[in-house]
DNA sequence: AGTGTATTGTGACTTTGGTTACAGACTGCC
DNA sequence: GGCAGTCTGTAACCAAAGTCACAATACACT
């Protein structure tokens, strides 16, 4: 699928410019697209696949913030790119992923030149800000069982499948918990009929 | 102090417009400036005082996100105002506070008309986004003792005084913890010589 | 089929932080 | 001074989640 279809809300002249100046890059599942401390010189738009944005502390612990889908942009890359600052997050390809990199130079020009770009950037900020609020809600007010449930639901929504192909260990890392805790909670949820456990995958039965 | 001095980075013509169209409102210490679910029709700039931005869950528990100082704008109000949506946060005056309300109608126009406004809005997004990342870091990776320490430091930095005039109860609420836990941890910190406890105030000895 | 590795299941234990209950101390006010 | 209300200190207990240790299972590969 091409840029026009993914970003239909952008005006034609802008899409033209994006096609001319944007650099297309592809990443394989598991590839790190951006890592903590790296200098950001481009804004990233997702064309295909799925990207995980997470926070990592000094000891290597990870904490999932949100997923980016095709048609979305990485708010952090916009923020950092506009200041040429280092990012404080990690972006990982969850599937084979194609992105469009827009050199920061165009940000300013397009912002005043194309109303649709301005709205797109604002909407990106708004939606990511709200996602962060939900993340904070979860981690501040909810227990691990609720957070796990939320995580599974979000994962099925993002991948449009009720099968979550992850090991307990991987889930534990994204929630900054430990494998045993996740296994325990998943087992309880299975006993309550909420899901079915398989090796390397979880089948969600409720929606 | 007037708008010119608080927002010296904005170009004169814009400041003129701000003075013409902005509505000045004052709030007493403790007043709620914005509450969850409320419709936002204006962007808020802080002129005097200090504003606390926090997240509140359904049961009334609170969770501090950050403080806003004079010269800063409320990112959430910008986001919500530009979409005329409801906010998911609460803003409370921590001191007697003066704010400037800018009706949303001007956002779009100024954004393309005044480069300095565009930069100001981007910078507001950037800094608040980064504050949220720090908040997530704290709550995801740190224990309560570290979070409390961080809280106290941030408070002294914001109020430019090493005296924190809050009861243990108030601190507990902002960290979504309980009074006993905070008392316990503060006592420990006092024994380690990090601070001195008084009634209704804490004197921070380390920086 | 047999071996090695990754994944999952589970029990015992520890730590952190929340809860309950109550005592003492300070402040304001009559 | 005496009383009410708020704030602080503390002990005992509980619950959630992290840790440790080890068993059991499944899969991949030869």
């Amino acid at each position: 699928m091409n840029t026009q279809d993914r970003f239909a809300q952008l005006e034609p002249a802008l899409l033209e410019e994006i096609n001319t100046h944007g650099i297309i890059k592809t990443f394989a599942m598991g590839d790190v697209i951006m890592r903590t401390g790296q200098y950001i010189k481009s804004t990233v738009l997702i064309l295909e696949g799925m990207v995980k944005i997470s926070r990592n502390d000094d000891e290597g612990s990870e904490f999932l913030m949100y997923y980016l889908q095709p048609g979305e942009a990485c708010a952090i890359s916009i923020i950092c790119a506009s200041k040429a600052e280092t990012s404080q997050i990690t972006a990982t390809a969850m599937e084979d992923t194609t992105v469009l990199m827009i050199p920061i130079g165009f940000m300013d020009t397009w912002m005043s030149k194309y109303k649709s770009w301005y709205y797109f950037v604002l909407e990106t900020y708004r939606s990511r800000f709200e996602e962060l609020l939900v993340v904070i809600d979860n981690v501040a007010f909810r227990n691990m069982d609720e957070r796990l449930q939320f995580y599974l639901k979000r994962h099925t929504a993002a991948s449009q499948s009720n099968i979550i192909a992850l090991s307990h260990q991987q889930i534990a890392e994204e929630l900054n918990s430990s494998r045993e805790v996740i296994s325990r909670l998943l087992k309880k949820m299975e006993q309550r009929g909420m899901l079915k456990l398989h090796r390397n995958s979880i089948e969600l039965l409720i929606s």
Side-chain angles (χ1 to χ4, degrees), chain A:
Chain A
M1 201 180 270
N2 59 22
T3 319
Q4 277 78 354
D5 299 319
R6 285 298 182 205
F7 298 93
Q9 76 275 39
L10 301 181
E11 54 209 285
L14 172 56
L15 286 168
E16 189 100 355
E17 282 215 54
I18 289 180
N19 279 330
T20 318
H21 304 294
I23 299 142
I24 290 187
K25 283 206 179 173
T26 58
F27 295 91
M29 188 198 271
D31 280 2
V32 174
I33 298 173
M34 202 186 301
R35 59 162 45 83
T36 308
Q38 192 178 334
Y39 260 86
I40 311 296
K41 306 159 304 306
S42 304
T43 292
V44 178
L45 307 188
I46 316 292
L47 288 177
E48 292 289 337
M50 179 151 71
V51 175
K52 178 178 78 179
I53 305 291
S54 56
R55 196 96 170 94
N56 298 71
D57 81 346
D58 343 301
E59 286 113 42
S61 310
E62 171 181 351
F63 185 84
L64 169 70
M65 301 208 299
Y66 47 76
Y67 298 113
L68 290 180
Q69 307 275 347
E72 297 182 325
C74 175
I76 317 231
S77 73
I78 298 182
I79 287 175
C80 297
S82 64
K83 285 246 142 188
E85 290 201 2
T86 65
S87 80
Q88 293 304 310
I89 52 98
T90 303
T92 320
M94 295 302 283
E95 308 165 359
D96 291 354
T97 295
T98 312
V99 303
L100 192 58
M101 319 273 280
I102 312 224
I104 51 168
F106 296 102
M107 287 292 298
D108 272 18
T109 340
W110 292 359
M111 206 70 181
S112 39
K113 198 166 162 194
Y114 301 110
K115 200 105 199 164
S116 62
W117 177 252
Y118 157 63
Y119 280 121
F120 177 70
V121 169
L122 277 197
E123 171 57 22
T124 298
Y125 278 133
R126 200 192 55 78
S127 60
R128 294 312 125 188
F129 217 98
E130 276 175 16
E131 290 246 33
L132 283 196
L133 290 186
V134 173
V135 167
I136 288 179
D137 259 23
N138 276 320
V139 80
F141 300 129
R142 316 279 168 222
N143 284 347
M144 194 51 89
D145 52 350
E146 288 182 282
R147 286 175 53 201
L148 176 57
Q149 221 177 311
F150 180 84
Y151 171 87
L152 295 175
K153 275 186 198 167
R154 185 163 61 160
H155 203 282
T156 56
S159 67
Q160 305 199 16
S161 149
N162 64 332
I163 308 283
I164 297 136
L166 293 170
S167 71
H168 301 178
Q169 182 65 55
Q170 287 175 290
I171 297 174
E173 279 164 13
E174 302 209 335
L175 292 170
N176 190 41
S177 176
S178 67
R179 202 262 314 158
E180 294 88 332
V181 172
I182 300 302
S183 287
R184 213 147 56 191
L185 292 174
L186 284 173
K187 204 75 206 167
K188 265 193 215 160
M189 290 167 82
E190 187 179 40
Q191 282 158 5
R192 288 201 209 111
M194 300 164 71
L195 44 80
K196 249 183 126 163
L197 296 175
H198 309 280
R199 187 184 172 82
N200 273 318
S201 82
I202 297 162
E203 185 185 346
L204 208 61
L205 299 176
I206 50 133
S207 58

